[in-house]
Amino acid sequence: MLSPSLAQEIAGDTSAVIGFNVLITDAEGIVIGSGDSSRVGSFHEASVDVVRTKEPATHSASQAQQLRGVRPGMTLPLITNGQAVGTVGITGTPAQVRRFGLLVKRQTEILLRESVMLRSRLLAERAAEKLLTDIASYDPQVVEGDFLVFRAAELGFDLRLRRVAIAFEVSVPRPAPRRQGGTQTRDMALVRSELLRTVGEIFADPQDIVASTAPGWIGVLHRLPAGCSTPSLVAACRRVTDLIAAQDGLVARAGIGEPATSVGGLHDSYQDACDALRLGARFADTDPDPVHLITDLRVHQVVTAVSQAARNRLLDLTATELRAQPDWPALRDTVTAWCESGFNLVRTAEALHIHRNTVVYRMNKIEQITGRPLREYRTAMALYLACLADRLGGGTVR
């Protein structure tokens, strides 16, 4: 339970502080850490009885000579969860070292408990990371869903509960602000634990699976309690992005998938959440909201699933003359807002933050160039898909 590397670090540091040699043994009496490195690996006979009785012992010079590997001083048991897992010894006359005994024992036990807790937390994080990675890459032809359900149950998670996948992406903005006395960027790998803790503070249900899937990426399989609404879920994600944004130099965005109650459904939900993140990023100039729902981006997702050649053909046959106009970005945004505002002039103007007369002017220009009325739904939808294809650019999302 007490690793030799930790024991050596504790013994060396403590020896330097108190001025007396400190050694640490395991439960078998073998020295695994000492300020005097030559003693590491030797047998300390007095420790065997101290471990057995769980009581400290002192040894004068004459008593120490009768015990193998023992020098004058004091030996105390290291207790964890009621069990003696080793000993800590201080070399010197009993009268000199007795005043340090309890202090060194308690400090060593505290460090031991912290080490065990850290190791346990790291193991739990790695197990959750492996589980989320396996769900994200799930293929029913390769592994059975029941196997992942069983593995999750061993970790205390029930994958049959209604859940939704959320993907968080954390990055350093470009250009990053230069901090006085610091560097311009932060390594995402170095703040991994900090980010996990931040996300875990908001998604704190015992059934929430929170794991880092890559530097700067954190996935959550959030258990949806009864009555949980979409606005409350979005609000929780915004709290996460706000907390992360409060940390110097970091920005965060979130993608939210669809609810699911099976391994296959969670796989799709997580892929949808990642798609929502990537698609939302491509519209950040017109929609700065850091939280993106796949339900709002289904059409975008379908467009990106079509081959680049098909998207180019749609653009060429539908919007070639419009794209040749110097104000094409404004015309494109107008078509998009017109369709997404339910073909309502007032709402379109509000979405674009312009006067409605400007919307009318742009729509008239579009109709003159294309020769087709925007109030005819098939025309509007064809142009809308072409505009999305233009905004989404090359390649598929996944």
Side-chain angles (χ1 to χ4, degrees), residues 139-225:
D139 182 347
Q141 301 299 320
V142 176
V143 61
E144 292 186 4
D146 288 344
F147 174 73
L148 293 182
V149 171
F150 174 77
R151 266 191 40 213
E154 289 185 317
L155 300 175
F157 302 120
D158 185 353
L159 294 185
R160 297 167 298 182
L161 297 175
R162 189 167 181 263
R163 298 172 180 272
V164 64
I166 306 167
F168 289 96
E169 182 184 30
V170 183
S171 61
V172 179
R174 296 289 187 265
R178 182 178 295 277
R179 295 179 293 168
Q180 185 175 1
T183 59
Q184 277 191 296
T185 63
R186 298 178 68 180
D187 188 336
M188 289 297 101
L190 297 179
V191 296
R192 174 180 177 275
S193 295
E194 183 180 344
L195 294 173
L196 282 172
R197 184 170 58 253
T198 299
V199 176
E201 287 173 357
I202 303 300
F203 294 96
D205 189 295
Q207 281 293 322
D208 286 347
I209 302 173
V210 181
S212 174
T213 55
W217 280 76
I218 295 176
V220 180
L221 298 182
H222 171 56
R223 183 184 75 86
L224 288 170

Coordinates of all heavy atoms in Angstrom, one line a residue, residues 139-225:
D139 N -19.3 -0.6 -31.4 CA -19.7 -1.3 -32.7 C -20.3 -2.6 -32.2 O -19.6 -3.5 -31.7 CB -18.5 -1.5 -33.6 CG -18.8 -2.1 -34.9 OD1 -20.0 -2.6 -35.0 OD2 -18.0 -2.2 -35.8
P140 N -21.6 -2.8 -32.4 CA -22.2 -4.0 -32.0 C -21.7 -5.3 -32.7 O -21.9 -6.4 -32.2 CB -23.7 -3.8 -32.3 CG -23.7 -2.7 -33.4 CD -22.5 -1.9 -33.1
Q141 N -21.0 -5.1 -33.8 CA -20.4 -6.2 -34.5 C -19.1 -6.7 -33.8 O -18.6 -7.8 -34.1 CB -20.1 -5.9 -36.0 CG -21.3 -5.5 -36.8 CD -22.3 -6.6 -36.8 OE1 -22.0 -7.7 -37.0 NE2 -23.6 -6.2 -36.7
V142 N -18.5 -5.8 -33.0 CA -17.2 -6.1 -32.3 C -17.4 -6.5 -30.9 O -16.8 -7.4 -30.4 CB -16.3 -4.9 -32.4 CG1 -15.0 -5.1 -31.7 CG2 -16.0 -4.5 -33.9
V143 N -18.3 -5.8 -30.2 CA -18.5 -6.0 -28.7 C -20.0 -6.0 -28.4 O -20.7 -5.1 -29.0 CB -17.7 -5.0 -27.9 CG1 -18.2 -3.6 -28.1 CG2 -17.9 -5.3 -26.4
E144 N -20.5 -6.8 -27.5 CA -21.9 -6.8 -27.2 C -22.2 -5.7 -26.2 O -21.4 -5.4 -25.3 CB -22.3 -8.1 -26.5 CG -22.2 -9.3 -27.5 CD -22.7 -10.6 -26.8 OE1 -23.2 -10.5 -25.7 OE2 -22.7 -11.6 -27.5
G145 N -23.3 -5.0 -26.4 CA -23.7 -4.0 -25.5 C -23.8 -4.4 -24.1 O -23.5 -3.7 -23.1
D146 N -24.3 -5.7 -23.8 CA -24.4 -6.2 -22.5 C -23.1 -6.2 -21.7 O -23.1 -6.1 -20.5 CB -25.1 -7.6 -22.5 CG -26.5 -7.5 -22.9 OD1 -27.1 -6.4 -22.8 OD2 -27.1 -8.6 -23.2
F147 N -22.0 -6.4 -22.5 CA -20.7 -6.5 -21.8 C -20.4 -5.1 -21.3 O -19.8 -5.0 -20.1 CB -19.6 -6.9 -22.8 CG -18.2 -6.8 -22.3 CD1 -17.8 -7.7 -21.4 CD2 -17.4 -5.8 -22.7 CE1 -16.5 -7.6 -20.9 CE2 -16.1 -5.7 -22.2 CZ -15.6 -6.6 -21.3
L148 N -20.6 -4.0 -22.0 CA -20.4 -2.7 -21.5 C -21.3 -2.3 -20.4 O -20.9 -1.6 -19.4 CB -20.5 -1.6 -22.6 CG -19.5 -1.7 -23.8 CD1 -19.7 -0.6 -24.8 CD2 -18.1 -1.6 -23.2
V149 N -22.6 -2.8 -20.4 CA -23.5 -2.6 -19.3 C -22.9 -3.3 -18.0 O -23.0 -2.7 -16.9 CB -24.9 -3.2 -19.6 CG1 -25.8 -3.2 -18.4 CG2 -25.5 -2.4 -20.8
F150 N -22.4 -4.5 -18.2 CA -21.8 -5.2 -17.0 C -20.6 -4.4 -16.5 O -20.4 -4.3 -15.3 CB -21.4 -6.6 -17.5 CG -20.7 -7.4 -16.4 CD1 -21.4 -7.9 -15.3 CD2 -19.3 -7.5 -16.5 CE1 -20.7 -8.6 -14.4 CE2 -18.6 -8.2 -15.5 CZ -19.3 -8.8 -14.4
R151 N -19.7 -4.0 -17.4 CA -18.5 -3.3 -17.0 C -18.9 -2.0 -16.2 O -18.3 -1.6 -15.2 CB -17.6 -2.9 -18.2 CG -16.5 -4.0 -18.4 CD -15.5 -3.5 -19.4 NE -15.2 -2.2 -19.2 CZ -14.8 -1.4 -20.2 NH1 -14.8 -1.8 -21.5 NH2 -14.5 -0.1 -20.0
A152 N -19.9 -1.3 -16.8 CA -20.3 0.0 -16.1 C -20.9 -0.3 -14.7 O -20.6 0.4 -13.8 CB -21.4 0.7 -17.0
A153 N -21.6 -1.4 -14.6 CA -22.2 -1.8 -13.3 C -21.1 -2.1 -12.3 O -21.3 -1.8 -11.1 CB -23.1 -3.0 -13.5
E154 N -20.0 -2.6 -12.7 CA -18.9 -2.9 -11.8 C -18.3 -1.5 -11.3 O -17.8 -1.5 -10.2 CB -17.8 -3.6 -12.5 CG -18.1 -5.1 -12.8 CD -16.9 -5.8 -13.4 OE1 -16.2 -5.3 -14.3 OE2 -16.6 -7.0 -12.9
L155 N -18.5 -0.5 -12.0 CA -18.0 0.8 -11.6 C -19.1 1.6 -10.9 O -18.9 2.8 -10.5 CB -17.5 1.7 -12.8 CG -16.4 1.1 -13.6 CD1 -16.1 1.9 -14.9 CD2 -15.1 0.9 -12.8
G156 N -20.3 1.0 -10.8 CA -21.4 1.7 -10.1 C -22.3 2.5 -10.9 O -23.2 3.2 -10.5
F157 N -22.2 2.3 -12.3 CA -23.1 3.0 -13.2 C -24.1 2.1 -13.9 O -23.7 1.0 -14.3 CB -22.2 3.7 -14.3 CG -21.2 4.7 -13.7 CD1 -19.8 4.5 -14.0 CD2 -21.6 5.8 -13.0 CE1 -18.9 5.3 -13.5 CE2 -20.6 6.6 -12.5 CZ -19.3 6.4 -12.8
D158 N -25.3 2.5 -14.0 CA -26.4 1.8 -14.7 C -26.6 2.4 -16.0 O -27.3 3.5 -16.1 CB -27.6 1.8 -13.8 CG -28.7 0.9 -14.4 OD1 -28.6 0.4 -15.5 OD2 -29.8 0.7 -13.7
L159 N -26.2 1.8 -17.1 CA -26.3 2.4 -18.4 C -27.8 2.2 -18.9 O -28.1 2.8 -20.0 CB -25.4 1.7 -19.4 CG -23.9 1.9 -19.1 CD1 -23.1 1.3 -20.3 CD2 -23.6 3.4 -19.0
R160 N -28.6 1.6 -18.2 CA -30.0 1.4 -18.6 C -30.8 2.6 -18.2 O -32.0 2.8 -18.7 CB -30.6 0.2 -18.1 CG -29.9 -1.1 -18.6 CD -30.4 -2.3 -17.8 NE -30.0 -2.2 -16.4 CZ -30.2 -3.1 -15.5 NH1 -30.8 -4.2 -15.8 NH2 -29.8 -2.9 -14.2
L161 N -30.3 3.5 -17.4 CA -31.0 4.7 -17.0 C -31.0 5.7 -18.1 O -30.2 5.7 -19.0 CB -30.3 5.4 -15.8 CG -30.3 4.5 -14.5 CD1 -29.4 5.3 -13.4 CD2 -31.7 4.3 -14.0
R162 N -32.0 6.6 -18.1 CA -32.1 7.6 -19.2 C -31.0 8.6 -19.1 O -30.9 9.2 -18.0 CB -33.5 8.2 -19.2 CG -33.8 9.1 -20.4 CD -35.3 9.5 -20.4 NE -35.7 10.3 -21.5 CZ -35.8 11.6 -21.4 NH1 -35.5 12.3 -20.3 NH2 -36.1 12.3 -22.5
R163 N -30.2 8.7 -20.1 CA -29.1 9.6 -20.1 C -29.0 10.4 -21.3 O -29.7 10.1 -22.3 CB -27.7 8.8 -19.9 CG -27.6 8.0 -18.7 CD -26.3 7.1 -18.7 NE -26.2 6.3 -17.6 CZ -25.5 6.7 -16.5 NH1 -25.0 7.9 -16.4 NH2 -25.4 5.9 -15.4
V164 N -28.2 11.5 -21.3 CA -27.9 12.3 -22.5 C -26.4 12.5 -22.5 O -25.8 12.7 -21.4 CB -28.7 13.6 -22.5 CG1 -28.3 14.5 -21.4 CG2 -28.5 14.3 -23.8
A165 N -25.8 12.5 -23.6 CA -24.4 12.7 -23.8 C -24.1 14.2 -24.0 O -24.8 14.9 -24.7 CB -23.8 11.9 -24.9
I166 N -23.0 14.7 -23.4 CA -22.6 16.1 -23.5 C -21.1 16.1 -23.8 O -20.4 15.3 -23.1 CB -22.9 16.9 -22.2 CG1 -24.4 16.8 -21.9 CG2 -22.5 18.4 -22.4 CD1 -24.7 17.3 -20.5
A167 N -20.7 16.8 -24.7 CA -19.3 17.0 -25.0 C -18.8 18.4 -24.8 O -19.5 19.3 -25.3 CB -19.0 16.6 -26.5
F168 N -17.8 18.6 -24.0 CA -17.2 19.9 -23.7 C -15.8 20.0 -24.4 O -15.0 19.1 -24.3 CB -17.0 20.2 -22.2 CG -18.3 20.3 -21.5 CD1 -18.9 19.3 -20.8 CD2 -18.9 21.6 -21.4 CE1 -20.1 19.4 -20.1 CE2 -20.1 21.7 -20.7 CZ -20.7 20.6 -20.0
E169 N -15.6 21.1 -25.1 CA -14.3 21.4 -25.7 C -13.8 22.7 -25.0 O -14.4 23.7 -25.0 CB -14.4 21.6 -27.2 CG -13.1 21.9 -27.9 CD -13.2 22.2 -29.3 OE1 -14.3 22.8 -29.7 OE2 -12.3 21.9 -30.1
V170 N -12.6 22.6 -24.5 CA -11.9 23.7 -23.8 C -10.7 24.0 -24.6 O -9.9 23.1 -24.9 CB -11.6 23.3 -22.3 CG1 -11.0 24.5 -21.6 CG2 -12.8 22.8 -21.6
S171 N -10.5 25.3 -24.8 CA -9.3 25.7 -25.6 C -8.8 27.1 -25.1 O -9.5 27.8 -24.3 CB -9.7 25.8 -27.1 OG -10.7 26.7 -27.3
V172 N -7.6 27.4 -25.6 CA -7.1 28.8 -25.4 C -7.4 29.6 -26.6 O -7.1 29.2 -27.7 CB -5.5 28.7 -25.2 CG1 -5.0 30.1 -25.0 CG2 -5.2 27.7 -24.0
P173 N -8.0 30.8 -26.4 CA -8.4 31.6 -27.5 C -7.2 32.1 -28.2 O -6.1 32.2 -27.7 CB -9.2 32.8 -26.9 CG -8.7 32.8 -25.5 CD -8.4 31.4 -25.1
R174 N -7.3 32.4 -29.5 CA -6.2 32.9 -30.3 C -6.6 34.3 -30.8 O -7.7 34.5 -31.4 CB -5.9 32.0 -31.5 CG -5.4 30.7 -31.1 CD -4.0 30.7 -30.6 NE -3.5 29.4 -30.4 CZ -3.5 28.7 -29.2 NH1 -4.1 29.3 -28.2 NH2 -3.0 27.5 -29.1
P175 N -5.7 35.3 -30.6 CA -4.5 35.2 -29.8 C -4.8 35.2 -28.3 O -5.8 35.9 -27.9 CB -3.7 36.5 -30.1 CG -4.8 37.5 -30.5 CD -5.9 36.7 -31.1
A176 N -4.1 34.4 -27.5 CA -4.3 34.4 -26.1 C -3.7 35.6 -25.4 O -2.7 36.1 -25.8 CB -3.6 33.1 -25.5
P177 N -4.4 36.1 -24.3 CA -3.9 37.2 -23.6 C -2.6 36.8 -22.9 O -2.5 35.7 -22.3 CB -5.0 37.5 -22.6 CG -5.7 36.2 -22.4 CD -5.6 35.5 -23.8
R178 N -1.6 37.7 -22.9 CA -0.4 37.5 -22.2 C -0.5 37.8 -20.8 O -0.9 38.9 -20.4 CB 0.8 38.3 -22.8 CG 2.1 38.0 -22.2 CD 3.2 38.8 -22.9 NE 3.4 38.4 -24.2 CZ 4.2 37.3 -24.6 NH1 4.8 36.6 -23.7 NH2 4.3 37.0 -25.9
R179 N -0.2 36.9 -19.9 CA -0.3 37.1 -18.5 C 1.0 37.7 -18.0 O 2.1 37.2 -18.3 CB -0.7 35.8 -17.7 CG -2.1 35.3 -18.1 CD -2.3 34.0 -17.3 NE -1.4 33.0 -17.8 CZ -1.3 31.8 -17.2 NH1 -1.9 31.6 -16.0 NH2 -0.4 30.9 -17.7
Q180 N 0.9 38.7 -17.1 CA 2.1 39.2 -16.5 C 2.9 38.2 -15.8 O 2.4 37.5 -14.9 CB 1.8 40.4 -15.6 CG 3.0 41.1 -15.1 CD 2.6 42.3 -14.3 OE1 1.4 42.6 -14.1 NE2 3.6 43.1 -13.8
G181 N 4.2 38.0 -16.2 CA 5.0 37.1 -15.5 C 4.7 35.6 -15.9 O 5.2 34.7 -15.3
G182 N 3.9 35.4 -16.9 CA 3.5 34.1 -17.3 C 3.7 33.9 -18.8 O 4.2 34.7 -19.5
T183 N 3.1 32.8 -19.3 CA 3.2 32.5 -20.7 C 1.8 32.8 -21.4 O 0.8 33.0 -20.7 CB 3.5 31.0 -20.9 OG1 2.5 30.2 -20.3 CG2 4.9 30.7 -20.3
Q184 N 1.8 32.7 -22.7 CA 0.6 33.1 -23.4 C -0.5 31.9 -23.4 O -1.6 32.2 -23.5 CB 0.9 33.5 -24.8 CG 1.3 34.9 -24.9 CD 1.4 35.3 -26.4 OE1 2.2 34.8 -27.1 NE2 0.6 36.3 -26.8
T185 N 0.0 30.7 -23.3 CA -0.9 29.6 -23.5 C -0.9 28.7 -22.3 O 0.1 28.7 -21.5 CB -0.6 28.8 -24.8 OG1 0.7 28.3 -24.6 CG2 -0.7 29.7 -26.0
R186 N -1.9 27.8 -22.2 CA -1.9 26.8 -21.1 C -2.0 25.5 -21.8 O -2.8 25.3 -22.7 CB -3.1 27.1 -20.2 CG -3.0 28.4 -19.4 CD -4.2 28.6 -18.5 NE -4.1 27.7 -17.4 CZ -5.0 27.7 -16.4 NH1 -6.1 28.5 -16.5 NH2 -5.0 26.8 -15.4
D187 N -1.3 24.5 -21.3 CA -1.4 23.2 -21.8 C -2.6 22.5 -21.2 O -2.8 22.3 -20.0 CB -0.1 22.4 -21.4 CG 0.0 21.1 -22.0 OD1 -1.0 20.5 -22.4 OD2 1.1 20.5 -22.2
M188 N -3.5 22.1 -22.1 CA -4.7 21.4 -21.7 C -4.5 20.2 -20.9 O -5.3 19.8 -20.0 CB -5.6 21.1 -22.9 CG -6.2 22.3 -23.6 SD -7.4 23.2 -22.5 CE -6.3 24.6 -22.0
A189 N -3.4 19.4 -21.2 CA -3.1 18.2 -20.5 C -2.8 18.5 -19.0 O -3.1 17.7 -18.1 CB -2.0 17.5 -21.1
L190 N -2.2 19.7 -18.7 CA -1.8 20.0 -17.4 C -3.0 20.5 -16.5 O -2.9 20.4 -15.3 CB -0.8 21.2 -17.4 CG 0.6 20.8 -18.1 CD1 1.5 22.0 -18.1 CD2 1.2 19.6 -17.4
V191 N -4.1 20.9 -17.1 CA -5.2 21.4 -16.4 C -6.4 20.4 -16.4 O -7.5 20.7 -16.1 CB -5.7 22.8 -16.8 CG1 -4.7 23.8 -16.6 CG2 -6.1 22.7 -18.3
R192 N -6.1 19.1 -16.9 CA -7.1 18.1 -17.0 C -7.9 17.9 -15.7 O -9.1 17.9 -15.8 CB -6.4 16.8 -17.5 CG -7.3 15.6 -17.6 CD -6.4 14.4 -18.0 NE -7.2 13.2 -18.1 CZ -7.4 12.4 -17.0 NH1 -6.9 12.7 -15.8 NH2 -8.1 11.3 -17.1
S193 N -7.2 17.6 -14.6 CA -7.8 17.4 -13.4 C -8.7 18.5 -12.9 O -9.8 18.4 -12.4 CB -6.8 17.0 -12.3 OG -6.2 15.8 -12.6
E194 N -8.2 19.7 -13.1 CA -8.9 20.9 -12.8 C -10.2 21.0 -13.6 O -11.3 21.4 -13.0 CB -8.0 22.2 -13.0 CG -8.7 23.5 -12.6 CD -7.7 24.7 -12.9 OE1 -6.5 24.4 -13.1 OE2 -8.2 25.8 -12.9
L195 N -10.2 20.7 -14.9 CA -11.3 20.8 -15.7 C -12.3 19.7 -15.3 O -13.6 19.9 -15.3 CB -10.9 20.6 -17.2 CG -10.1 21.8 -17.8 CD1 -9.6 21.4 -19.2 CD2 -10.9 23.1 -17.8
L196 N -11.8 18.5 -15.0 CA -12.7 17.4 -14.6 C -13.5 17.8 -13.3 O -14.7 17.5 -13.2 CB -11.9 16.1 -14.4 CG -11.5 15.4 -15.7 CD1 -10.6 14.2 -15.3 CD2 -12.8 14.8 -16.4
R197 N -12.7 18.4 -12.4 CA -13.4 18.8 -11.2 C -14.4 19.9 -11.4 O -15.5 19.8 -10.8 CB -12.3 19.3 -10.2 CG -12.8 19.7 -8.8 CD -11.7 20.0 -7.8 NE -10.9 21.1 -8.3 CZ -9.6 20.9 -8.7 NH1 -9.1 19.7 -8.8 NH2 -8.9 22.0 -9.1
T198 N -14.2 20.8 -12.3 CA -15.1 21.9 -12.6 C -16.4 21.3 -13.2 O -17.5 21.6 -12.7 CB -14.5 22.9 -13.6 OG1 -13.4 23.5 -13.0 CG2 -15.5 24.0 -13.9
V199 N -16.3 20.4 -14.2 CA -17.4 19.8 -14.8 C -18.2 18.9 -13.7 O -19.4 18.9 -13.7 CB -17.0 18.9 -16.0 CG1 -18.2 18.2 -16.6 CG2 -16.4 19.8 -17.1
G200 N -17.4 18.2 -12.9 CA -18.0 17.3 -11.9 C -18.7 18.0 -10.8 O -19.7 17.5 -10.2
E201 N -18.4 19.3 -10.6 CA -19.1 20.1 -9.6 C -20.6 20.4 -10.1 O -21.5 20.5 -9.3 CB -18.4 21.4 -9.3 CG -17.1 21.2 -8.5 CD -16.3 22.5 -8.4 OE1 -16.8 23.5 -9.0 OE2 -15.3 22.5 -7.7
I202 N -20.8 20.5 -11.4 CA -22.1 20.8 -11.9 C -22.8 19.5 -12.2 O -24.0 19.4 -11.8 CB -22.0 21.6 -13.2 CG1 -21.2 22.9 -12.9 CG2 -23.4 21.9 -13.8 CD1 -21.8 23.8 -11.9
F203 N -22.2 18.5 -12.8 CA -22.8 17.2 -13.1 C -22.3 16.3 -12.0 O -21.5 15.5 -12.2 CB -22.4 16.8 -14.5 CG -23.0 17.6 -15.6 CD1 -22.2 18.6 -16.2 CD2 -24.3 17.5 -16.0 CE1 -22.8 19.4 -17.1 CE2 -24.8 18.3 -17.0 CZ -24.1 19.3 -17.5
A204 N -23.0 16.4 -10.8 CA -22.5 15.8 -9.6 C -23.4 14.6 -9.2 O -23.2 14.0 -8.1 CB -22.5 16.8 -8.5
D205 N -24.3 14.2 -10.0 CA -25.1 13.0 -9.7 C -24.2 11.8 -9.7 O -23.3 11.6 -10.5 CB -26.2 12.8 -10.8 CG -27.2 11.7 -10.4 OD1 -26.8 10.5 -10.4 OD2 -28.4 12.0 -10.3
P206 N -24.4 10.9 -8.7 CA -23.5 9.7 -8.6 C -23.5 8.9 -9.9 O -22.6 8.1 -10.1 CB -24.1 8.9 -7.4 CG -24.7 10.0 -6.6 CD -25.3 11.0 -7.5
Q207 N -24.6 9.0 -10.6 CA -24.7 8.2 -11.9 C -24.1 9.0 -13.1 O -24.1 8.4 -14.2 CB -26.2 7.9 -12.1 CG -26.6 6.7 -11.3 CD -26.0 5.4 -11.7 OE1 -25.7 5.1 -12.9 NE2 -25.7 4.5 -10.7
D208 N -23.7 10.2 -12.9 CA -23.1 11.0 -14.0 C -21.7 10.4 -14.3 O -20.9 10.3 -13.4 CB -23.0 12.4 -13.7 CG -24.4 13.1 -13.8 OD1 -25.3 12.5 -14.4 OD2 -24.5 14.3 -13.3
I209 N -21.4 10.1 -15.5 CA -20.1 9.6 -15.9 C -19.4 10.8 -16.6 O -19.8 11.3 -17.6 CB -20.2 8.4 -16.9 CG1 -21.0 7.3 -16.3 CG2 -18.8 8.0 -17.4 CD1 -21.3 6.2 -17.3
V210 N -18.3 11.2 -15.9 CA -17.5 12.4 -16.4 C -16.1 11.9 -16.7 O -15.5 11.3 -15.8 CB -17.5 13.5 -15.4 CG1 -16.7 14.7 -15.9 CG2 -19.0 13.9 -15.0
A211 N -15.6 12.2 -17.9 CA -14.3 11.7 -18.2 C -13.6 12.6 -19.3 O -14.3 13.2 -20.1 CB -14.3 10.2 -18.7
S212 N -12.3 12.6 -19.2 CA -11.6 13.4 -20.2 C -11.2 12.4 -21.4 O -10.6 11.3 -21.1 CB -10.3 13.9 -19.7 OG -9.5 14.5 -20.6
T213 N -11.7 12.7 -22.6 CA -11.4 11.8 -23.7 C -10.2 12.2 -24.5 O -9.7 11.4 -25.3 CB -12.7 11.8 -24.6 OG1 -13.0 13.1 -25.0 CG2 -13.9 11.2 -23.9
A214 N -9.7 13.4 -24.3 CA -8.5 13.9 -25.0 C -8.2 15.2 -24.4 O -9.0 15.8 -23.7 CB -8.8 14.0 -26.5
P215 N -7.0 15.7 -24.5 CA -6.6 17.0 -24.0 C -7.6 18.1 -24.5 O -7.8 18.3 -25.7 CB -5.2 17.3 -24.5 CG -4.6 15.9 -24.7 CD -5.8 15.1 -25.1
G216 N -8.3 18.8 -23.6 CA -9.2 19.8 -23.9 C -10.6 19.3 -24.2 O -11.5 20.1 -24.5
W217 N -10.8 18.0 -24.1 CA -12.2 17.4 -24.4 C -12.6 16.6 -23.2 O -11.9 15.8 -22.6 CB -12.1 16.4 -25.6 CG -12.2 17.1 -26.9 CD1 -11.1 17.8 -27.5 CD2 -13.3 17.3 -27.8 NE1 -11.5 18.3 -28.7 CE2 -12.9 18.0 -28.9 CE3 -14.6 16.8 -27.7 CZ2 -13.7 18.3 -30.0 CZ3 -15.5 17.2 -28.8 CH2 -15.0 17.9 -29.9
I218 N -13.9 16.9 -22.7 CA -14.5 16.2 -21.6 C -15.8 15.8 -22.0 O -16.7 16.5 -22.5 CB -14.6 17.1 -20.4 CG1 -13.1 17.5 -19.9 CG2 -15.3 16.4 -19.2 CD1 -13.1 18.4 -18.7
G219 N -16.1 14.5 -21.8 CA -17.4 13.9 -22.1 C -18.2 13.6 -20.8 O -17.6 13.3 -19.8
V220 N -19.5 13.8 -20.9 CA -20.4 13.5 -19.8 C -21.6 12.7 -20.3 O -22.2 13.0 -21.3 CB -21.0 14.8 -19.2 CG1 -21.9 14.5 -18.0 CG2 -19.8 15.7 -18.7
L221 N -21.8 11.6 -19.6 CA -23.1 10.8 -19.8 C -23.9 11.1 -18.6 O -23.8 10.5 -17.6 CB -22.8 9.3 -19.9 CG -21.9 8.9 -21.1 CD1 -21.7 7.4 -21.1 CD2 -22.4 9.4 -22.4
H222 N -24.8 12.1 -18.8 CA -25.6 12.7 -17.7 C -26.9 11.9 -17.5 O -27.7 11.8 -18.4 CB -25.8 14.2 -18.0 CG -26.8 14.8 -17.0 ND1 -26.6 14.8 -15.6 CD2 -28.0 15.5 -17.2 CE1 -27.6 15.5 -15.1 NE2 -28.4 15.9 -16.0
R223 N -27.1 11.5 -16.3 CA -28.4 10.8 -16.0 C -29.5 11.9 -15.9 O -29.3 12.9 -15.3 CB -28.4 10.1 -14.6 CG -29.6 9.4 -14.3 CD -29.6 8.8 -12.9 NE -29.8 9.8 -11.9 CZ -31.0 10.2 -11.4 NH1 -32.1 9.7 -12.0 NH2 -31.1 11.1 -10.5
L224 N -30.5 11.7 -16.7 CA -31.6 12.6 -16.8 C -32.7 12.3 -15.7 O -33.4 11.3 -15.8 CB -32.3 12.6 -18.1 CG -31.4 13.2 -19.3 CD1 -32.1 12.9 -20.6 CD2 -31.3 14.7 -19.1
P225 N -32.8 13.1 -14.7 CA -33.8 12.8 -13.7 C -35.2 13.1 -14.2 O -35.3 13.8 -15.2 CB -33.5 13.8 -12.5 CG -32.7 14.9 -13.2 CD -32.0 14.3 -14.3

